[in-house]
Each structure stands twice: as C-alpha cells, then as structure tokens.
Amino acid sequence: MSDLLDAVALPGREEPAGSSRPGRSPAPFLRYLASKVAAALVSFAVTLVIGFVLFSLMPANPVQSLTRGRPTSAAQMEHLRHQLGLDQPVWHRFLSFVGDTLQGRLGDSWQFQQPVASLIGERLWPTLLLTGTATLLSVVLGLWLGVHSGWRHGSRFDRLTSGISLTLWSVPTFWLAMILLVVLSTGLGPIPSLFPAGGMSDAYSPSGFGHVLDVAHHLVLPCLTMVLVVFAQYVTVMRSSVIDELGNPYLLTARAKGLMDSQVRNRHAAPNALLPSVTVIFLQLGTVVGGAITVETVYSWPGLGFLTYQALQVPDLPLLQGTFIVFSASVILMNLLADVVYRFLDPRVRAQ
Amino acid sequence: MSASAPASAAGPTASAGPAEAAPAALEVRGLTVVHPPRGGRGPARAVDGVDLRLEQGEILALIGESGCGKSTLARALVGLTRPTSGEVLYRGTPLRYTGSALKAYRRHTQLVLQDPGGALNPRQTVFDAVAEGPRLHGLKEGLEERVRSALSRAGLRPPEDFLARYPHQLSGGQQQRVVIAGALALDPAVVVADEPVASLDASVRGEILQLVLRLRDELGLSALVVSHDLGLAWNIADRVAVMYLGRIVEVGTVEDVLLRPVHPYTRALLSVLPGPDRGRRPTVLTGEAPDPTAVPAGCRFHPRCPAWAALDGPGREAAGCTVRELPVLTADPGAGRQAACHLVDAAADTPAGGAGTAGAPGGAAQAPGAEDGRG
C-alpha cells in the first residue's frame, strides 16, 4: 500500500519547472495523513499502558482506602477485592482493560456506582461549554493583542499589554479565582454581589431562554478567570511571531505596491505569523476537554475537572483512569488536527 | 522571446502625454534621511543631502559600498522612508506623505527588492502576488490577462504554468521574475530596483539585466538600479551616480564615470576590478568603514582618500580637504559629469594627487555582452 502511494506521490513532489499543477494531488496528502494517524495511534497505545500502570499497579490498596474508617471483616475485604476484579492476575487485568477501553467501557466508578463512561459523558458538556467559551475568548483577545503589540513593539500599547498579560499569566489560578469570587460574588465594600458563587444553574432555574441566561450568568466568573490566566500565551506567541515577520522584505514589497500599514499587517504579517499560534491553540484545545481542574473546583462547575477532583479525594481509581484516558486522547486528537490544519495553512508544509 | 516591437504606445510614457520640457521621471532635491539615535550612538545621517534626476526612459545606476545610504535613498525614492528634509518629485510634482497620495504615487513607481525569496509572501501563489497591486489600485477588469501579460513580459512563459505556484516551488531567477512581474503589473513609469540581481547566479543575472533593458526599450520604463556592482552598472546603465556616506560623490554618463573616473573614491572602486593586462596596482581603501553617525568634517572621504594621503604637508593644508565643505552636486540636466572633490576642482579633470592613471575598467569593459547590452 505504501509502495503504491510512493509511486503516485513522487511525480507530484518533484515539481520540475515545467509541471503544470502545484502539489495538490491527494496522494501525498493521504500519505501524510496516514503517517500522522499512525503516530497518533502509537501515542494512544502508550497512553493506555501508562494509564494502566499508573492506576492499576499503584501500591495503594484501593480496598483499604475505600473501607477506611469503617469496621470491615477480612471476608468482606476479600469479597470487595473480588468484586473490583483485583484478585485477577495483572496481565489478565491489563488485557481486559485494553479490550474494555477500546469498546468504550471504562469500568464503574467506585464512588458514584455508575459507569465511568456515562459519568464522563454527563460532565463533558459543562466542561466544553466553560473551557470552549474561555478558549475562544482568550484566543480572539490574545491574538488581537499579540498582533497589535508585535506590530508596534516597544510602544506604550505593547508594554502595557505585555505587562498585564504576563502578570496575569504568573498569578496562581486558584488565587485569582478566589479573589474574583470574593470581590464579584460575595461582594466587597461598595461592590454588590454580581454573580453566583458556583454551580452551573440555580436550583429553581427557569426553563427555556431563562435557563440559558441563568447558565450564562453562572458562566461569567469561571470563564473570566480562565481567560485572564490563559490569554497571555497567545499574546506572547503571536507577538513574537509578528516581530519575526516584521523583518521580511515581502512586507516592504506589499507596502511599495501601495498597501496601507494596516492592510500590510492584516493581509500579510498577521496571517503568516498565525502559523506558530496554531500549534499553541491546538495544544490548548486538547486541554479544553480536560478542563481546568482548579477553576471548576473553586466554582463547583460540574465538569470533568471537578469530577477529577472528586475522584482524587477517594481515590476512585476507575474514574481517574477514565478521565486520564479521555484527557490524553483529546490532546492526541487535537495534535493530529493541528498537523492537518497546518498543512492547509502553510503551502511549504503542504509540499513536503 | 517576443518580437521586440516598440510597445510604448500602450506604455506609461504615452499615457503621461507629451510633457513640455520633459520633467524628470523622478527627481530628489536636498534629500536627507536621518535615522534617530540608537544604542548610545548619535543620529545616523544615512542620506545627507542628495540631488538626483532620473530622466524618462533612462537607466541610472546608483553605486556604492554597503552602508553608504544607497538603499535608504532607494526607499525614500519610492516613498517608503519619509525624508527628514528635502523632497521627492514625480514628474515635477512633489510627493506628499498622506495615505492616498502615497497610494497614487505607488501606482506609478514600483520597488524591486534584493532577496527574491524574501520579497514574496510564502503563502501567496504567483497569481495572487502579481495581482495584488492591480487589485489594490482598482484594476480589476481583465485582471487575469494583466497578470499573464506581466508574467510573460517578465519572461515567465507560458504564464499559465506559473499562476498557481508558490514561491518555494520556483527557482531564484523565477522568483525574481515574479517580483518584477508584480511591479510590471501596474504598468509603472519608474522602477527602483535595490540590488535586483545580487543574490542570483551569473547566468540568471544576465537574463534579468536583459529583461530590464528590454522593458526600457519596449515600455519606456525609467529605472534606478541600486548596486555595489560596477560591472552591472556598465552593462545596463545610461548614467552612473557614485554614493559615499550619504552623498553623491560623482555622477555622469556611464562612459565618463567608469572609463574616465575623476573622484578618488570612484577610482579606488574601479582599480580593484580584476583585469588582464593591468599595469597598475589596485588602490585598497584603508581606514575605518564609513560611519553615518560620525560624518567627518570637510570632504567626508578624506580619512580614506588615497589622493589626499599622497599629498605632502603644505599641499594638504592648501587643499583644505579636512575643513572646507563640498557643495552638493546639482541635478541640472545640463550639468554633465560632476565630482565632489576639492582636488578635482583645483585641477579641472584629474586629481592633483594622482592616484594612478585612469585606465579603462578592464573587468567591467570586458563584461560579456556589454556592448550589445547597452545598444
């Protein structure tokens, strides 16, 4: 198969002076995609092994921690061990773990007495809502600020932007979250209580559009916290790649053709400087599913991050294992997507 | 190659109308560009008082070593650098530095840059790169035809083969042709080329230079070619201006300046050209490289001037090279050859110090295709 692809791909890649079309024939792309998918699968396989080793072979005795503080007989302990499948040999447990995972079965949570997969599915949407919104806002804000501060680097705007974003980047998330909680939710001095302290909706939440508004109201503080902490990385990446582009003569060519400063920036410099940011954005998108454990915990947002926190307290090993696999898989998937998107954005990569 | 019928009817010269007294295609008067102080050094006088005329249909070579301000002058000519003082005139009209005036100006005056790889946006296809100028200036009618014609005039034939390509899929010579096509697509009256062939290999250089000459002959294009290469100037230029430390030090026809140079700096440049039967030793300039943040008093070339160094004590004092300022060379059309040198002024045509006889610049004169190239 790969030989066949090779033969098809070669003429397209050579690009001698007389050939008619640039490297857009699908064969090199399929080959590229196949290699990237293969790499992603290898990564996922390694993740499965690590996930099993981390959570199944840990020296901690789950039965002991589950029954901590309660009088339990040895027979009961043995029964529990059998129930949890811990009396099976390690290789047997690994194989059934891999088989189950590939079929989408992630075991049952010890704590919630529910399948881990359905728990994760339930908590996925709040997390996507929170981190998706926050990522979108911080990407837009960060890239805009980055382009403008890089274009006029050294200006007052640049120094202000870089100073503020780096300060917020250095602030501990939980601290910022709690400060915002105290100031904007509890209310401080003249500031009234503007936003709810936690959760995703009120107990007496209305239905329909009222519910949407209620969720949005609850979303403000956690989302704001995440944006403030995260947007700096887009600012810095975008700013430095815009500065890298500044020295390029093609900007001078564009200007000499008659483009105004802002047109040169928006049509030439910014799109080209976007390439390095795409990598960062997709890496960040991978963590969108993982959510923000800290933010979700502080604001009791019922997402995957908060679920992970709850699982850690027990420790609820099947649940931790499940979230670990889902988080890793989303990072791998987003990296794969980044590679593919990159290829469409950059003709130089496309030609390889 | 297409039949080289004079295509000037469609060219910019025709659209401009028959101007009385033919104003220069491009002219600068008293042009000064001072870069602000940086890193503990004083302000840099990159261009320090230049008068220069580029006649219509003329190719003028601007020669000088790195850092002499020739690229800054080129950028000021196309309005990319705003002069500290002095003015740029396009067909007798001073250039104004407002957004719309600059845009209108750039419709007629185009810049071709040195590094063809870098001068093209890597994410633009050839079509987009060439079409960008016409699109911007509202020339959307027959855009594709315009792009094809620009590409084929720049020697990329058949143009269809190149439209969808990206810069990285082209050779250096092809990239430079795309850059030139991007300038030609606007049918400019003037092209300012900053080292247009410096990064290309010899065979490609010849082709690009031929292209510039053909465009002049066919379209009546005026061109200012910035270079440090005297052979290039010999091959394509009508006139040559030699620049040193922000000033023009010698200007005249290519034969005058390159065959019978009078300024000691021009002579030094020519003396190091390789040539077969040269009876004289090359004059290697010593001393520090010129620094635009510390321009010497008097003649700015005197610290490195071999003619001045050859003078004896009293002669030096009398020449006054270290104290007397030199006038800026005029750009009057009738001025003929001029050189900014106290020693030349004293003794009509030859410097008193005599830094070797002014022979033919062997290397340049024997450059391949020199004569037919300058038809």
Side-chain angles (χ1 to χ4, degrees):
Chain A
M1 179 64 185
S2 84
D3 283 353
L4 180 71
L5 285 172
D6 241 331
V8 178
L10 269 174
R13 294 194 311 154
E14 284 293 331
E15 286 304 324
S19 87
S20 54
R21 296 272 302 159
R24 283 208 189 190
S25 53
F29 176 70
L30 286 181
R31 221 163 66 104
Y32 176 82
L33 190 65
S35 74
K36 290 294 171 188
V37 169
L41 288 178
V42 171
S43 302
F44 187 66
V46 173
T47 305
L48 283 184
V49 175
I50 294 176
F52 178 77
V53 170
L54 263 184
F55 297 109
S56 304
L57 297 184
M58 274 203 300
N61 185 342
V63 175
Q64 220 155 45
S65 29
L66 274 177
T67 56
R68 189 184 297 130
R70 291 176 210 141
T72 327
S73 70
Q76 279 173 316
M77 300 264 277
E78 198 45 52
H79 178 71
L80 200 52
R81 268 176 67 81
H82 179 72
Q83 206 181 3
L84 297 177
L86 295 176
D87 50 354
Q88 309 266 359
V90 170
W91 62 269
H92 190 260
R93 278 159 59 196
F94 178 69
L95 285 183
S96 60
F97 162 72
V98 170
D100 286 352
T101 305
L102 292 183
Q103 292 170 54
R105 289 198 306 263
L106 298 171
D108 291 325
S109 159
W110 297 340
Q111 183 183 193
F112 294 95
Q113 299 297 323
Q114 271 187 58
V116 168
S118 74
L119 266 176
I120 289 177
E122 203 172 279
R123 301 290 192 98
L124 182 66
W125 302 110
T127 286
L128 285 183
L129 177 67
L130 169 61
T131 49
T133 315
T135 307
L136 187 72
L137 289 178
S138 50
V139 165
V140 171
L141 178 71
L143 293 188
W144 191 88
L145 288 172
V147 167
H148 284 79
S149 58
W151 193 248
R152 293 259 168 278
H153 63 111
S155 66
R156 190 180 302 170
F157 175 81
D158 174 32
R159 282 174 306 189
L160 198 69
T161 304
S162 303
I164 291 177
S165 55
L166 287 179
T167 307
L168 288 169
W169 176 240
S170 335
V171 161
T173 312
F174 72 90
W175 181 84
L176 183 67
M178 287 196 292
I179 293 290
L180 287 175
L181 200 62
V182 168
V183 174
L184 294 175
S185 176
T186 315
L188 189 71
I191 303 169
S193 166
L194 293 172
F195 297 102
M200 194 167 137
S201 56
D202 281 338
Y204 309 107
S205 179
S207 56
F209 186 64
H211 179 70
V212 175
L213 279 184
D214 185 43
V215 171
H217 194 213
H218 282 79
L219 185 65
V220 172
L221 280 187
C223 190
L224 181 68
T225 311
M226 282 190 75
V227 170
L228 288 180
V229 172
V230 161
F231 83 97
Q233 56 180 318
Y234 302 115
V235 175
T236 43
V237 171
M238 197 60 190
R239 178 180 177 274
S240 66
S241 44
V242 164
I243 292 175
D244 283 346
E245 294 295 321
L246 280 183
N248 278 330
Y250 70 82
L251 296 181
L252 207 60
T253 309
R255 220 171 258 139
K257 279 179 185 164
L259 270 76
M260 316 257 259
D261 192 61
S262 58
Q263 291 174 315
V264 176
R265 182 189 65 217
N266 295 339
R267 294 189 194 174
H268 289 274
N272 286 4
L274 204 57
L275 291 175
S277 306
V278 167
T279 315
V280 179
I281 291 171
F282 273 92
L283 280 180
Q284 188 66 26
L285 280 181
T287 65
V288 159
V289 178
I293 295 184
T294 332
V295 171
E296 288 190 0
T297 306
V298 171
Y299 291 104
S300 319
W301 187 263
L304 289 177
F306 191 40
L307 183 67
T308 309
Y309 173 75
Q310 288 171 315
L312 271 170
Q313 283 176 317
V314 174
D316 190 342
L317 293 184
L319 187 52
L320 281 176
Q321 204 168 37
T323 53
F324 175 84
I325 286 166
V326 170
F327 293 170
S328 313
S330 70
V331 172
I332 291 170
L333 192 67
M334 286 303 162
N335 272 329
L336 180 64
L337 267 180
D339 284 334
V340 173
V341 167
Y342 215 92
R343 201 177 150 90
F344 281 102
L345 289 181
D346 191 347
R348 286 164 296 186
V349 178
R350 201 184 302 160
Q352 277 163 19
Chain B
M1 297 285 138
S2 72
S4 53
S8 53
T13 35
S15 62
E20 316 84 10
L26 205 57
E27 185 176 356
V28 292
R29 288 192 194 141
L31 193 84
T32 308
V33 180
V34 181
H35 295 310
R38 208 167 36 187
R41 316 184 71 186
R45 289 145 72 186
V47 179
D48 194 15
V50 166
D51 285 10
L52 201 61
R53 260 176 89 93
L54 176 66
E55 304 295 344
Q56 298 192 12
E58 179 186 49
I59 298 182
L60 172 66
L62 184 64
I63 299 291
E65 63 196 325
S66 329
C68 75
K70 55 191 195 304
S71 287
T72 309
L73 177 56
R75 270 155 216 207
L77 277 172
V78 293
L80 285 173
T81 302
R82 192 171 181 162
T84 314
S85 65
E87 54 186 2
V88 177
L89 296 97
Y90 172 71
R91 297 200 162 150
T93 314
L95 176 60
R96 285 175 304 117
Y97 291 86
T98 62
S100 55
L102 278 175
K103 188 176 161 186
Y105 177 62
R106 286 168 182 160
R107 168 86 174 72
H108 305 291
T109 308
Q110 283 293 302
L111 176 72
V112 172
L113 285 172
Q114 171 173 13
D115 163 31
L120 293 170
N121 185 337
R123 292 178 61 246
Q124 269 185 333
T125 60
V126 168
F127 178 83
D128 286 332
V130 177
E132 181 163 41
R135 270 180 186 152
L136 185 72
H137 291 277
L139 306 170
K140 290 184 180 119
E141 218 161 283
L143 181 64
E144 187 140 339
E145 187 43 46
R146 184 179 275 272
V147 171
R148 282 165 203 262
S149 129
L151 284 173
S152 73
R153 271 183 287 160
L156 292 172
R157 297 195 192 104
E160 292 74 32
D161 284 0
F162 297 92
L163 292 178
R165 300 237 206 149
Y166 286 94
H168 69 265
Q169 297 168 322
L170 303 173
S171 69
Q174 289 171 332
Q175 286 172 348
Q176 186 69 71
R177 284 164 193 272
V178 173
V179 173
I180 292 175
L184 293 181
L186 282 169
D187 291 328
V190 178
V191 167
V192 174
D194 189 356
E195 304 269 15
V197 294
S199 55
L200 304 177
D201 60 48
S203 61
V204 183
R205 292 169 70 128
E207 288 176 38
I208 299 282
L209 295 182
Q210 282 285 288
L211 171 67
V212 173
L213 284 169
R214 217 181 61 234
L215 293 171
R216 190 266 302 267
D217 294 341
E218 292 177 9
L219 306 177
L221 196 74
S222 312
L224 181 107
V225 180
V226 176
S227 181
H228 60 267
D229 181 349
L230 294 162
L232 180 149
W234 175 258
N235 280 326
I236 70 167
D238 302 306
R239 286 198 304 140
V240 176
V242 181
M243 198 165 175
Y244 183 82
L245 200 45
R247 283 268 177 98
I248 305 289
V249 295
E250 181 162 5
V251 61
T253 64
V254 66
E255 290 85 2
D256 276 342
V257 175
L258 296 186
L259 295 181
R260 296 176 290 279
V262 293
H263 196 282
Y265 178 61
T266 316
R267 292 182 163 214
L269 288 182
L270 286 163
S271 74
V272 294
L273 286 178
D277 48 3
R278 307 192 62 103
R280 57 200 174 80
R281 293 216 308 277
T283 313
V284 176
L285 292 177
T286 53
E288 289 174 41
D291 175 7
T293 63
V295 176
C299 169
R300 54 194 63 210
F301 183 55
H302 82 260
R304 300 168 75 195
C305 182
W308 184 69
L311 293 179
D312 52 2
R316 278 191 188 189
E317 202 125 322
C321 289
T322 57
V323 286
R324 277 197 294 143
E325 284 294 329
L326 283 156
V328 173
L329 298 183
T330 79
D332 287 344
R337 181 251 287 279
Q338 308 167 68
C341 175
H342 292 304
L343 305 174
V344 173
D345 293 346
D349 216 18
T350 17
T357 44
Q366 282 150 20
E371 289 308 325
D372 50 19
R374 300 187 34 238

